[in-house]
Amino acid sequence: MKMHQTMRWFGPHDTVKLSDIRQAGCAGVVTALHHIPVGDVWTVEEIEKRKKDIEDAGMTWTVVESLPVSDDIKRQGDNWLQHIENYKVSLRNAAACGLKVITYNFMPVLDWLRTDIDYQLPDGSRALYFKQVDFAVFDLFLLQRPGAENDYDDAAIKKAGDRIKSMTAAEKEKLFRNCLLGLPGSDEAFTAAQVLTELKKYEGIDEARLKENLFHFLQQVVPVAEECGLVMAIHPDDPPYAVLGLPRIMSTEKDAADLINSVPSSANGLCFCTGSFGARDDNNIPAMLKRFADSIYFLHLRNTKREHGGNFYEASHLEGDTDMYEIIREITELQKRRNISLPMRPDHGHQMLDDLGKKTYPGYSAIGRLKGLAELRGVEYAVVKGMS
Ligand code: DNO
């Protein structure tokens, strides 16, 4: 049994077309209704419209990524109860349209974060990069987050101070823009004022509290998902450690175990992202895959190369710190045992060849992802053949 190959599509405005995704060899598409404000209901009509676009292109809408959880739900702010009710309605509507897997995350304020979205590799292709010192420059000196200095030691503050002195105005501007990029699938960046206002609303919410809020959310929505035949798949934190003084609760093996134990149900599972978990050297990816095998409903396969001090960049899918052969062997075994074909997507890719110079969502150019998918497909082909 092979994985169900998909790619993410950001909807009709995506410069990567559904036909590109089909030609990459995908049978499925991963998408979301990005135009619906976070917290609002996804109606059957809107879901059906998107589903038809995908089916007309000869594929199926395999996974929802994401049905976003509002910050009001995450911190139990003003509209949280209404948003939970809306979430339940969206789940029922998604199920009524035949969707099966719902991805979400519980990262406060910002979804994923990189300091550089076109880091040049030696061959001229471009990758996503997270560099701690640059992030400290952003946090301490560009965003000027109140209290930020308490989150860095003296050496890190000095390093950031030295670094900013060597940066041109254009480099500072670029860093600022990269760190404020909005949600995936959105063209709008946050303003500094917006981020500072949002951060302030998280004051007093520590890890324990955020986890409680997550579990409360799950107690509410998992039974609905279970009842209507959906599975929930949480995406890990990216990067998998605290940023901007915000708590992080889905970064480690323990976090994943806590989540699964919080609401025991076959509908409460994981989107296993080898790149996000893999950016920490204390996460053993093959071991986690083994341990959580029965709770994994969606796979993001990508590879990160860790450097010193928490820096990492997105390596080619078969390079980096995670052994993709081992991962795909593990996945093949678990699929066989569960008698299931798990949806996977090659997460992120380098900008390369004709991608360069095209405007695409960072990490989501067509050719870079096609290369990743083709490599992963090759490994899987060999693994499956070797096992039969
Ligand atoms: C980044 C993605 C994440 C992911 C969300 C899921 O490229 O993997 O943005 O879609 O965190 O909710």
Side-chain angles (χ1 to χ4, degrees):
M1 184 134 350
K2 296 222 174 96
M3 294 181 281
H4 175 75
Q5 294 169 29
T6 74
M7 270 196 200
R8 189 179 205 176
W9 183 57
F10 288 109
H13 302 298
D14 197 333
T15 50
V16 178
K17 301 284 162 229
L18 284 170
S19 53
D20 300 333
I21 295 179
R22 179 138 188 230
Q23 285 173 26
C26 293
V29 170
V30 171
T31 194
L33 302 182
H34 295 285
H35 58 288
I36 298 188
V38 177
D40 286 8
V41 167
W42 287 17
T43 61
V44 165
E45 196 189 352
E46 288 294 316
I47 300 170
E48 286 292 355
K49 233 194 274 170
R50 179 59 52 85
K51 200 178 150 200
K52 182 170 181 323
D53 290 342
I54 296 169
E55 289 175 358
D56 286 350
M59 294 173 287
T60 54
W61 182 358
T62 310
V63 175
V64 173
E65 181 178 358
S66 302
L67 181 54
V69 180
S70 68
D71 276 289
D72 272 11
I73 294 180
K74 290 174 186 168
R75 52 183 164 67
Q76 300 193 341
D78 298 342
N79 296 312
W80 72 289
L81 291 171
Q82 183 60 49
H83 285 180
I84 290 187
E85 287 316 305
N86 291 354
Y87 205 97
K88 292 181 189 167
V89 176
S90 298
L91 287 177
R92 290 190 200 283
N93 290 347
C97 298
L99 297 173
K100 297 278 178 233
V101 184
I102 306 290
T103 314
Y104 68 102
N105 72 69
F106 224 76
M107 286 178 259
V109 187
L110 298 169
D111 195 297
W112 61 303
L113 191 64
R114 296 291 184 272
T115 53
D116 195 351
I117 55 168
D118 53 9
Y119 172 65
Q120 188 163 355
L121 296 167
D123 64 4
S125 58
R126 309 269 173 166
L128 305 174
Y129 194 18
F130 187 86
K131 195 168 178 181
Q132 286 287 359
V133 63
D134 285 357
F135 189 72
V137 166
F138 164 74
D139 194 9
L140 291 161
F141 305 121
L142 304 179
L143 183 66
Q144 298 181 359
R145 175 172 64 90
E149 58 287 352
N150 302 327
D151 293 337
Y152 300 90
D153 62 22
D154 291 348
I157 295 177
K158 162 131 191 11
K159 215 167 142 197
D162 292 344
R163 169 84 176 132
I164 194 170
K165 279 190 217 133
S166 73
M167 292 172 85
T168 63
E171 284 168 341
K172 285 185 226 169
E173 165 65 27
K174 197 171 152 204
L175 173 64
F176 194 58
R177 232 186 16 242
N178 287 343
C179 293
L180 290 176
L181 279 176
L183 293 173
S186 139
D187 289 324
E188 284 166 36
F190 284 101
T191 63
Q194 274 170 332
V195 168
L196 291 172
T197 307
E198 285 306 306
L199 290 176
K200 204 161 168 39
K201 295 188 193 159
Y202 274 90
E203 264 173 20
I205 299 191
D206 59 8
E207 277 187 19
R209 175 68 202 281
L210 190 65
K211 245 187 196 180
E212 264 173 43
N213 294 359
L214 166 62
F215 298 162
H216 180 273
F217 165 71
L218 290 174
Q219 280 151 14
Q220 296 291 310
V221 301
V222 166
V224 176
E226 187 175 327
E227 181 195 313
C228 58
L230 292 170
V231 290
M232 303 281 300
I234 194 167
H235 187 281
D237 302 326
D238 183 5
Y241 36 73
V243 286
L244 300 176
L246 292 165
R248 288 295 220 195
I249 55 167
M250 196 44 57
S251 299
T252 63
E253 180 166 346
K254 176 172 185 315
D255 290 337
D258 288 350
L259 172 111
I260 289 163
N261 295 333
S262 70
V263 181
S265 158
S266 57
N268 180 22
L270 305 174
C271 162
F272 196 86
C273 177
T274 54
S276 303
F277 281 132
R280 283 179 77 112
D281 60 8
D282 55 352
N283 280 337
N284 179 334
I285 307 300
M288 287 170 75
L289 202 48
K290 231 187 203 106
R291 172 164 181 194
F292 301 122
D294 291 338
S295 305
I296 294 172
Y297 293 115
F298 182 29
L299 297 156
H300 283 185
L301 299 185
R302 69 181 167 89
N303 224 324
T304 41
K305 180 75 197 152
R306 292 185 300 270
E307 297 176 329
H308 58 89
N311 299 343
F312 64 88
Y313 67 90
E314 311 251 0
S316 291
H317 286 73
L318 303 188
E319 290 161 18
D321 295 306
T322 298
D323 179 344
M324 263 315 156
Y325 170 74
E326 209 179 337
I327 295 298
I328 292 181
R329 218 189 40 204
E330 205 56 67
I331 292 167
T332 307
E333 267 166 15
L334 87 80
Q335 291 190 136
K336 205 163 156 191
R337 192 167 44 73
R338 282 170 64 190
N339 192 24
I340 190 177
S341 164
L342 285 173
M344 69 73 94
R345 66 178 181 86
D347 200 7
H348 301 168
H350 295 161
Q351 260 191 299
M352 59 192 300
L353 310 179
D354 281 2
D355 289 340
L356 292 163
K358 271 195 188 153
K359 189 163 166 31
T360 48
Y361 292 102
Y364 288 92
S365 64
I367 300 176
R369 284 186 294 159
L370 164 62
K371 174 175 176 260
L373 179 63
E375 291 178 345
L376 295 166
R377 183 156 58 211
V379 173
E380 181 179 47
Y381 178 88
V383 166
V384 171
K385 202 157 182 157
M387 279 183 178
S388 60

